[in-house]
Amino acid sequence: MTFPYDQARLQALFSEVDSRIDDLGKVATAASQVQRRSRGLSEQDLAEIERFAKSPGAPKELKDLQRRVEAGEMSWADVAAGRALDDEGVQKALAVGVPDLQRAYRAIEEGQDIDDIIASGTPTPQRPRRDDDDEDDGPSQFREDAW
């Protein structure tokens, strides 16, 4: 029985695989040295969240979560780091802001200035959509399967 590849072709294939593995190692090393842009929320950020959660204008769900933080069940750092995302109370508190995030997303997609969106807190539509407008607006709702 003869081998379907000649020895030179087989050696070339092995060399190519070895070269790609070496390249992968170099890319992995370079990637491990890249620093993330965000180091997470600062202590000042967490203090601002807590201050808002204690304010009269905070939603009930956020106030409930603040009471649990004060009771020692979790910390705002736990919430910010995602360690408490399975908690139903955390999910409810975070879900309160989803409509505002959806409005902000639509405003960004419409081309509104991000600083204006942040400053206003409530983005306004720029122009009505026309049926013949070919622009792709992306998702109109945030869903877990889209994250």
Side-chain angles (χ1 to χ4, degrees), residues 109-127:
E109 287 294 306
E110 291 171 355
Q112 292 185 36
D113 183 70
I114 293 191
D115 291 331
D116 291 342
I117 295 167
I118 293 169
S120 73
T122 54
T124 56
Q126 248 185 353
R127 61 180 172 87

Side-chain angles (χ1 to χ4, degrees), residues 44-108:
Q44 293 84 6
D45 295 331
L46 295 174
E48 183 65 28
I49 291 169
E50 185 168 359
R51 187 170 35 258
F52 177 70
K54 291 179 178 180
S55 73
K60 177 193 176 303
E61 295 83 359
L62 194 58
K63 288 181 180 195
D64 292 344
L65 188 55
Q66 175 59 35
R67 282 191 276 285
R68 293 180 61 201
V69 167
E70 289 172 352
E73 291 183 39
M74 68 185 75
S75 70
W76 284 111
D78 292 334
V79 174
R83 292 186 291 268
L85 285 179
D86 291 335
D87 185 277
E88 186 178 340
V90 171
Q91 292 173 7
K92 286 179 181 178
L94 296 178
V96 170
V98 170
D100 290 334
L101 291 172
Q102 288 173 326
R103 282 192 296 276
Y105 178 81
R106 284 191 299 272
I108 291 168

